[in-house]
């Protein structure tokens, strides 16, 4: 059994390792890597349980990570860890025995205020790690723990549950720290890390753009409301320089087509006019939704330069014009 100090060091080492392996969260990580590749003081340590969602290593009294399994397409919300009335997400016990070792491990991590890693499945065997997260309360009657992202762990969720301001803040924080990175992971996976318009394949230059802004602050956006776009095409899409028709053709704004300039304008923008998207997801249900495309496209046709109305989508400093998904 490791000491409490070693427990803390292992956690920190695991999170540092994940940062490096995922390029600060830009890329997902595979199941086998999580089982095989992390070493702490010369010993291999699995960061994920082989089967269970809760990972409580035998050498620790505490849980180290939790996992939300990927669930296939077609649903608005590929997870059921829905937020409670306080805006914080929940994580279910392992089965229903409160004294199961996994559940005790979570309880102990909560009692010690330890950071945990949350692995979100974005494809079978592929995860987006979110960390640190903290357990801040337990709801035994519902067989679940209350999870807070970094910065919210010191709030008493039960005491503040009814407070609108806290709920809004918690939801916006959750959206930024969990839903958006997971959305990015899902979109990148579906588009095989390629720009839908130009096929560029450099994750550092790619964004998960929303076709229309994700106004529902409780929900993760579905992949069918997403487009993997490089920075240029994302900004051009949001600025109404180009649009995508419901049948997946790119249209460039007329005045842009009349312009003469260097290679980015000529090749990067003008030449796309009339072309079909180069990259769409293999799975039909992940492909851009025609109705959602139509919403943006109609706006583009009506008022091209205003195709990206700046609508508040629920958290400070980020409006509908900013469709970038930050890490
Ligand atoms: Zn592009």
């Amino acid at each position: 059994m490791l000491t409490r100090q070693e427990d803390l060091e292992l956690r920190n080492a695991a999170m540092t390792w994940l940062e490096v392996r995922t390029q600060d969260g830009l890329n997902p990580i595979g199941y086998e890597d999580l089982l095989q590749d992390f070493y702490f003081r010369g010993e291999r340590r699995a960061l994920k349980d082989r089967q269970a969602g809760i990972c409580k290593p035998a050498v620790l009294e505490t849980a180290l990570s939790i996992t939300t399994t990927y669930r296939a397409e077609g649903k608005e919300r590929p997870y059921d860890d829905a937020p409670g009335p306080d805006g914080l997400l929940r994580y279910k016990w392992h089965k229903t025995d409160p004294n199961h070792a996994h559940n005790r491990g979570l309880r102990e991590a909560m009692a010690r205020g330890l950071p945990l890693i949350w692995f979100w499945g974005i494809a079978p065997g592929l995860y987006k790690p979110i960390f640190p997260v903290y357990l801040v309360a337990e709801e035994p009657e519902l067989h679940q723990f209350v999870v807070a992202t970094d910065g919210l762990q010191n709030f008493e969720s039960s005491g503040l549950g009814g407070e609108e301001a806290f709920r809004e803040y918690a939801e916006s924080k959750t959206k930024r720290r969990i839903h958006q990175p997971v959305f990015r992971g899902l979109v990148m996976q579906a588009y095989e890390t390629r720009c839908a318009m130009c096929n560029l394949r450099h994750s550092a230059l790619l964004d998960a753009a929303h076709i229309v802004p994700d106004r529902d602050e409780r929900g993760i956006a579905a992949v069918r409301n997403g487009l993997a776009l490089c920075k240029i095409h994302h900004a051009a899409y949001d600025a109404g320089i180009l649009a995508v028709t419901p049948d997946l053709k790119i249209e460039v704004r007329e005045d842009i087509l009349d312009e003469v300039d260097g290679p980015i304008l000529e090749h990067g923008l003008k030449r796309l006019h009339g072309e079909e998207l180069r990259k769409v997801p293999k799975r039909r249900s992940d492909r851009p939704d025609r109705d959602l495309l139509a919403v943006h496209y109609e706006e583009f046709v009506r008022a091209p330069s205003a195709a990206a109305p700046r609508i508040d989508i629920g958290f400070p400093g980020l409006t509908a014009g900013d469709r970038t998904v930050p890490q």
Side-chain angles (χ1 to χ4, degrees), residues 1 17 25 34 53 57 82 85 95 114 137 145 151 171-172 179 185 191 203-204 230 286 296 302 308:
M1 196 61 83
W17 180 82
L34 294 174
K95 301 187 176 160
L114 293 173
F145 286 88
E171 283 179 356
S172 73
H179 291 169
Y191 285 79
S203 65
C230 69
D286 280 345
H296 179 273
R302 189 166 54 239

Side-chain angles (χ1 to χ4, degrees), residues 195 197-200 229-230 233:
C195 173
M197 294 188 184
C198 69
N199 237 1
L200 188 72
L229 293 176
C230 69
H233 292 136

Side-chain angles (χ1 to χ4, degrees), residues 3 12 193 227:
T3 65
N12 287 334
T193 317
L227 285 169

Side-chain angles (χ1 to χ4, degrees), residues 194-201 205-206 228-234 268-269 272 278:
R194 285 189 182 277
C195 173
M197 294 188 184
C198 69
N199 237 1
L200 188 72
R201 190 180 187 180
L205 297 178
L206 295 175
L229 293 176
C230 69
K231 301 283 181 187
I232 284 273
H233 292 136
H234 184 191
L269 297 172
L272 294 181
R278 286 213 168 89

Side-chain angles (χ1 to χ4, degrees), residues 132-297:
V133 298
Y134 297 85
L135 303 175
V136 295
E138 188 172 2
E139 296 171 330
E141 67 290 352
L142 297 171
H143 301 170
Q144 63 193 16
F145 286 88
V146 180
V147 189
T149 57
D150 197 17
L152 288 169
Q153 70 269 33
N154 295 322
F155 286 96
E156 285 285 337
S157 82
S158 53
L160 289 164
E163 288 183 18
E164 186 64 10
F166 175 79
R167 186 185 62 76
E168 279 178 17
Y169 181 67
E171 283 179 356
S172 73
K173 193 100 182 169
T174 301
K175 182 168 189 163
R176 208 160 51 233
R177 290 295 317 283
I178 296 181
H179 291 169
Q180 292 190 338
V182 171
F183 176 65
R184 179 195 158 89
L186 290 165
V187 169
M188 289 304 147
Q189 186 60 19
Y191 285 79
E192 297 172 313
T193 317
R194 285 189 182 277
C195 173
M197 294 188 184
C198 69
N199 237 1
L200 188 72
R201 190 180 187 180
H202 277 278
S203 65
L205 297 178
L206 295 175
D207 291 332
H210 286 95
I211 293 172
V212 296
D214 175 18
R215 292 193 183 84
D216 183 359
E217 66 279 284
R218 290 165 307 166
I220 187 171
V223 174
R224 62 190 174 77
N225 185 34
L227 285 169
L229 293 176
C230 69
K231 301 283 181 187
I232 284 273
H233 292 136
H234 184 191
Y237 182 83
D238 281 357
I241 286 171
L242 49 70
V244 180
T245 66
D247 54 0
L248 307 184
K249 286 214 171 65
I250 302 164
E251 274 189 24
V252 178
R253 205 170 74 205
E254 231 171 276
D255 60 303
I256 303 286
L257 291 173
D258 293 338
E259 234 180 279
V260 177
D261 196 18
I264 292 284
L265 185 86
E266 294 301 325
H267 300 284
L269 297 172
K270 285 167 71 174
R271 280 227 335 231
L272 294 181
H273 185 65
E275 294 206 6
E276 281 188 23
L277 288 184
R278 286 213 168 89
K279 182 76 196 168
V280 292
K282 289 200 177 86
R283 199 160 48 206
R284 196 161 288 276
S285 57
D286 280 345
R287 292 184 191 159
D289 184 288
R290 296 175 71 92
D291 295 340
L292 295 169
L293 284 170
V295 172
H296 179 273
Y297 181 68

